[in-house]
Every structure is written in C-alpha cells, then in structure tokens.
C-alpha cells in the first residue's frame, strides 16, 4: 500500500521535471490560474475577481466531507509572496502539467488523499482543489517551504551550529531580530535527521543550554522547544570576539564527524551577528580549508552595511550563503535561503530520495468531536511521502536548482486497516514506529486533549517514544530491535488497563515485528498469549447466511473493513453491512471483500439467529426479570445482536450500546470492554462490573462462549446482559449463554462437512 503511494509521487516528480525541461523562462508571461483564496469571489458588479473565476466545489466524504474539486487543482500563495512575480508565474505555468497526473494517480489508486507540489518560489499546488480560508486578519500565513515534508525532501540530514553575537552593539531591535532569526531556524521543521546546538558569544563562549556543552543533540520537538525558551532570555553585554567562537563550532563538528555521531552528512554553521571586526581567516585555514566540509551561513543583522563585505566573505569562502536582515519582516523569507544551498549537492547528483515524515495532525482538525471518542486517536494522524523536483536543464545543471517538492498525505487509518481486528484477538493490536523510536500509530497514543469545548493537539504529540507506551520494555530490547529495522519476536508480561484505566489486566504478550521496505517505519503486531493463536471457523451456505444477516436485531462493526468501499466512489454510499450483502448477492462483484471475515460473519449470523426468537419469546411471555434493560451478544467477527427490553424513555443507560458508546462496541482499535473482560474470566461464569456514566449507574454481567475441538479452545463470542443496579438475573442470562453454546455445537464443522439447518418454528 505504501509502495503505491511512492509510485504516485514518482510520477508527479517526473512530470514536473519534464515540464520545466521544455519550458523557456518568459519574463513577460501572463497566465491566469485559480488562486485558492480568490475562487468563486465576485466584485460589486457580480464579475469574478482577478485570479478567481467559477470553481465548482462539492462535499466529498473521501476528503473529510470538505468541498473539493476532483477535476482541478488550484494554487495557494502566502501573503508575503507577490503572486504576479515572473518567477511565480512561470513556475505555476509549468506545474499546470501536474493536473492530469493528479487525476490519473487518483484513478489508479482511489485511496490517495491530498496530492501536492510545493514550489521553491513559494506557491503550493493542491489536488483536489479547495477554497483556502485565510486567518482572522485575512492573511495566508501557510508557506509550504516551512512544512516538514518540504524541508526533509529538499535537504539531506545535517548538523547545525547556531552561534549568535550578543555584544553591546546588538542592543535593542537587533537583538529582537536575532532571536526571531534563531527561532525561525528552529521552527523551519528541522526534524529528527538534524542535529543542532546553539551558543552565544562575546569575548567568551557560553552555551544556551550548558548541559549540551560540546555536543550535538537531535532536533526533535522537545529540544527545539527547549532552545526556543532559552533564546528568549538572551541579553546583550560585552565585546564580540568571533575567532574563539568559530573555533568552538569547528571543534564540535569535527568531533562529531570523527566519532560517527550526528547526521554523518551535511555540516553547517549559522553565524548571526551585526559585524565581524577581527581577523578570522586563520580559523578557516586551520579548520575548514581546503576541503570546506563545513558550510558557513552569515546573517548580518541591522540596517548598517559597514561589515557587509566581511560577512559576505565568510559565507562565500566557505560554500555558504550571505543574508542581510534589516527588519523583522525580512526574517521568514531570508532564513529559507539556506535550503537551496544545502540541497545543491543532492540536486546536482540527482538523488531522488523519497522521504516519509513522522506522524502529524492535519492543519485543520476534523470538525466533529465524535472523532475524539470513536477511533484510536493516533489514527487521526497522517504521514506524508515526498520527493524533490530538480531542474534537468543542461545549462543550469551545475547550479543545482531545486524546483520544489511533490508529495501526498497518507492517513494512518488506511495503513492500520490492513491489520484486521478480528485476526488479532480480543487484546491484540498493531502499531507503527519510526526509525527514531517515535510512535506513528498505537492504541495508547493520545495526541489530543480537551481545552474547554475545543480539541487541540498536545505540544509533543508526534515525538512520543515507543518506551512511553510499551513501558514494560524496560531494557528497550524490543524498541532497539525495531529501531534497527530487524525482524523477530519478543515476549513480555504486561499490565494493560481497560475502562479508562479503572481495571487492570495482567497479560503475556507476544510481539512480532519487522521493517517496512523503502520506508523508515517498523510494524509491530501483538498477540496476547491464550488469545489470537486459534481461530474458530465454521461453514454455512451463502443463502442461509444472508437470510440471517438481514435480521433487524443484527449489526456488524461499522469501522471494520468487511468490504473496501473507498476504492470506487459509487460504493461510498454503502454501509459495511450493505456492501457485504450486495457483494454476497452478486450485485457488486467488483467490491474487494475480506472473504474469511465474511465467512465468519455468515456463520455467526446463522448460529446466533435463534437468539432473536428466544429473546422475543421471553418478552412476550413476561419472562424478563424486573430491571433488565438490554440483552446482547457479540462475536469475534464484529457481529452483534441486541434486544432492548426497556424503551428509550424508561431506559436508565440511554447511551449504552449506541453510536456514542464506543467503549462497548467493536471499533477499529479495540474489542468491546465487556468482551475483553469476559475472555479474561472463566467461560460460563459471569463477571459483573458497575458503570457510572456521568451519574447514570448500572451493572453489566458478561460471560464468554468458547468452542473446543481436538484439544484446542477458541473464543466464539461474548454474551452480556445490561441492567440496573438491582441486577439479579444471573440464571436468566446463563440460559441465554447455554443456548448459544448449544446452537454452535450443532453447527460446528468438525469434519469439514457443511451443515444445513432446517428452519422450524421451534428453532
């Protein structure tokens, strides 16, 4: 699945490079394009505004129900970029060729979501086309060149030393600009492949964080945030001596290179100063020439140009770049120039490395609160796969011109759907980590928190280490193996919590892990000992199964993938139950369905069918004991049968087993709570637990139903019974459970023969 996404990105890169190769720059080129902030806008006379026009938008379920145009892409340009600049116009004209590739990719792989091209000139082409909403001040602050996927694809891994002059001449606005420059560097999405340190200097060197003296640290979110806070406390004093400060930088980088530490790739020094007065050439002669392994970027702060030549000389003689920053407004655009320089070797060598980002939250969170409760929160995240786009023109090949970056988003939900819940057992789960040990997707990752009525991402949600969720791995044996991309298995005794941490389970988990080729990811799968290794399989005819699958008391897990409805847009209108029925009837033969899961589901529907008549008979004969509200049964295939003995007006547990009660339903990341508790207790003996749902109190009784054959036992399902606190119906519920076991034993396919049940009134 991930391979198909990489192929789509490669096609985009090839198309973008070919379009540039056959285009000659035209300074007077005029070209009307769809500006995502201007589309569908009209002036006072009712005419379309410039760079606007009629751009049809329709809500699309595949794209979070956003209004989109799946026939066209459009352009977003940050407010600080001039949208009629000749470089912008020519680049937009070239990128128009991507539109056909976007559509073709989507037709070949309908599970694709957003596809995009971020140009080095600053514009962002996105497919499908959308209406871009500016912030409250009418500003489009989004700059694709600041996004993690752009930075990682545009540059190789790197070691960076930031050295800032805090001498007396940096007083006032200069110091403010210097701090903003450092923080802009820190927040240009340097990721875990970048290693950094930062210090300030006058006539001596002092590290911003003394604990990091003489070393490099990973530029993860925690460290960048830490540096940012410390930089804010800098204040000016003394006289600047650049020579000693520069020696310190070369010393750190040289030791890292010699000891095999850091990124083992590009190395650079970022010098932020208002001038260099002393003789510094000897430092470069001693530490950097003639190889010039370390690039030096100079940022001259302030309006004065007295020392411009010195700053420029340092950069140009050390394969770097000189930038003059006179105002705060200059910082954002000028800081980004280092990317073009660091990308040159990669561009010249045409290293089309494909990169994958860590997990991140989309810039616009889904607007429904339900997502906070319905799915494993980590499955709301996504990763992006991206690839650099180079100029292939012979006359500019030696310049190493980066045209931009193409990419696509991959929702982690789509990846984790490939590990079906029914295969993993009641407690089993799957997870993904990066080669830095950070979690991509895991049932225990909670990246969101509630701030009043709003949902917000936690500050460090995408840099949660595997050791923080698999915390029994105290020696980090499992973590180390997965970070190294190894394949193997490992056993751990764990304490898992259920019911929001109220109840512990003591389990023995077998972890199976392997790397995913051509990605920085490792996949892990967990099976709990005693669950998931043996699967109960029965056989019934399709006709018989379909008859019982349409019972009014029956439902199947809406979040599981019985049939893939997202491939063909015409199938998206079907629920999973509708899709499964249409596939089994032969009305939708093109649907891709999980045959084994459907076999399970049909069998479970048949063997549990008598429960509907039995429950109804109890109700009609007044056999329901006082206080009993709900009877229900669930099977490993995600099938549930429910009967309500109390109407919604008189029911105490109104939320119980409704769409909002995800704890007690089969979801994409867990089996129901009552099911998990049942399988941990002796089959046939009821386990009782009380629930206090915002002051509403009731008791649930649950028991497991198992089937044994050939000395092996498998879980067939869990039968439960919800009631008020005055619950006293153990015998009543036990008769139901016994009945289920009886019907399953009649249908069990021990010798592989197909059993057919004669339908009778008594049955």
């Amino acid at each position: 699945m991930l391979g198909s996404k990489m192929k789509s990105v490669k096609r985009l890169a090839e198309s973008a490079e070919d379009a540039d190769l056959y285009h000659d720059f035209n300074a007077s080129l005029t070209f009307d394009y769809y500006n995502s902030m201007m589309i569908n806008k009209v002036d006072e006379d009712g005419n379309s505004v410039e760079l606007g026009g009629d751009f049809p938008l329709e809500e699309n379920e595949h794209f979070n129900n956003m209004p989109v145009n799946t026939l066209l892409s459009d352009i977003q340009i940050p407010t600080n970029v001039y949208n009629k600049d000749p470089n912008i116009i020519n680049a937009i004209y070239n990128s128009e060729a991507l539109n056909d590739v976007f559509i073709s990719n989507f037709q070949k792989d309908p599970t694709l979501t957003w596809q995009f091209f971020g140009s080095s000139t600053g514009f962002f082409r996105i497919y499908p086309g959308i209406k871009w909403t500016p912030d409250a001040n009418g500003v489009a602050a989004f700059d694709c060149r600041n996004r993690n996927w752009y930075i990682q694809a545009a540059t190789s891994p790197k070691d960076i030393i930031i050295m800032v002059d805090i001498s007396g001449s940096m007083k006032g606005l200069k110091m403010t600009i210097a701090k903003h420059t450092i923080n802009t560097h820190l927040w240009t999405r340097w990721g875990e492949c970048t290693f950094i340190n930062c210090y300030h200097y006058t006539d001596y060197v002092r590290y911003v964080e003394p604990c990091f003296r003489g070393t490099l640290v990973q530029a993860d979110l925690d460290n960048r945030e830490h540096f940012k806070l410390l930089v804010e406390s800098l204040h000016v004093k003394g006289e600047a001596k650049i020579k000693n400060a520069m020696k310190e930088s070369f010393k750190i980088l040289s030791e890292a290179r010699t000891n095999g530490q850091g990124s083992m790739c590009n190395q650079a020094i970022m010098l932020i100063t208002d001038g260099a007065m002393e003789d510094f050439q000897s430092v470069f002669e001693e530490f950097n020439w003639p190889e010039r392994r370390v690039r030096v970027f100079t940022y001259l702060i302030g309006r004065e140009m007295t020392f411009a030549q010195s700053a420029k000389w340092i950069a140009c003689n050390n394969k770097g770049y000189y930038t003059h920053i006179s105002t705060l407004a200059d910082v954002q655009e000028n800081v980004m120039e280092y990317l073009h320089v660091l990308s040159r070797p990669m561009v010249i060598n045409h290293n089309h490395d494909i990169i994958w980002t860590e997990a991140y939250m989309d810039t616009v969170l889904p607007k429904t609160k339900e997502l906070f409760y319905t799915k494993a929160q980590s499955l709301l995240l996504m990763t992006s796969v991206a690839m650099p786009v180079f100029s292939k023109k012979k006359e500019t090949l030696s310049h190493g011109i980066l045209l931009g970056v193409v990419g696509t988003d991959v929702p982690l939900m789509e990846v984790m759907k490939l590990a079906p819940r029914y295969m993993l057992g009641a407690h089993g789960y799957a997870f993904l980590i990066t080669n830095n040990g950070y979690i991509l997707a895991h049932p225990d990752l909670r990246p969101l928190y509630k701030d009043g009525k709003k949902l917000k991402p936690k500050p460090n949600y995408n840099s949660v280490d595997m050791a923080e969720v698999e915390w029994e791995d105290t020696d980090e044996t499992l973590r180390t193996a997965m970070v190294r991309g190894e394949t193997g298995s490992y056993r751990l005794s764990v304490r898992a919590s259920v019911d929001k941490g109220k109840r512990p389970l003591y389990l023995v988990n077998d972890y199976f892990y392997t790397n995913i080729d051509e990605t920085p990811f490792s996949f892990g799968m967990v099976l709990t000992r005693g669950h998931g290794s043996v699967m109960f399989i029965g056989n019934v005819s399709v006709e018989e199964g379909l008859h019982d699958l349409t019972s009014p008391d029956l439902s199947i897990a809406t979040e599981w993938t019985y049939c893939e409805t997202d491939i063909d847009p015409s199938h998206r209108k079907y629920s999973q139950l509708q899709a499964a029925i249409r596939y089994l009837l032969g009305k939708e033969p093109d649907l891709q369905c999980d045959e084994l899961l459907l076999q399970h589901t049909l069998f479970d529907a048949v063997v549990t069918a008598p429960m509907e008549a039995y429950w109804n008979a109890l109700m009609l004969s007044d056999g329901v004991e006082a206080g009993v509200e709900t009877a229900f049964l669930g099977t490993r295939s995600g099938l549930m049968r429910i009967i309500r003995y109390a109407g919604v007006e008189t029911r105490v547990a109104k939320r119980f087993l409704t769409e909002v009660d995800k704890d007690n339903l089969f979801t994409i990341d867990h089996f129901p709570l009552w099911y998990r508790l049942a399988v941990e207790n002796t089959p046939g003996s009821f386990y009782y637990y009380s629930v206090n749902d915002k002051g509403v109190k009731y008791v649930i009784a649950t028991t497991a139903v198992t089937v044994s054959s050939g000395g092996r036992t498998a879980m067939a399902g869990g039968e439960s019974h919800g009631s008020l606190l005055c619950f006293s119906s153990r015998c009543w519920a036990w008769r139901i459970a016994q009945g289920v076991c009886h019907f399953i034993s009649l249908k069990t396919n021990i010798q592989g023969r197909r059993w057919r049940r004669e339908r009778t009134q008594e049955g």
Side-chain angles (χ1 to χ4, degrees), residues 208-222:
V208 171
E209 172 49 80
C211 294
F212 297 157
R213 170 177 289 276
T215 188
L216 293 167
V217 295
Q218 203 170 24
D220 58 25
L221 192 64
D222 293 329

Side-chain angles (χ1 to χ4, degrees), residues 48 80 85 216 318 326 357 411 477 548 593 674 691:
S48 296
N80 64 328
D85 183 282
L216 293 167
N318 290 279
S326 58
T357 68
T477 305
D548 292 327
C593 297
W674 47 266
V691 177

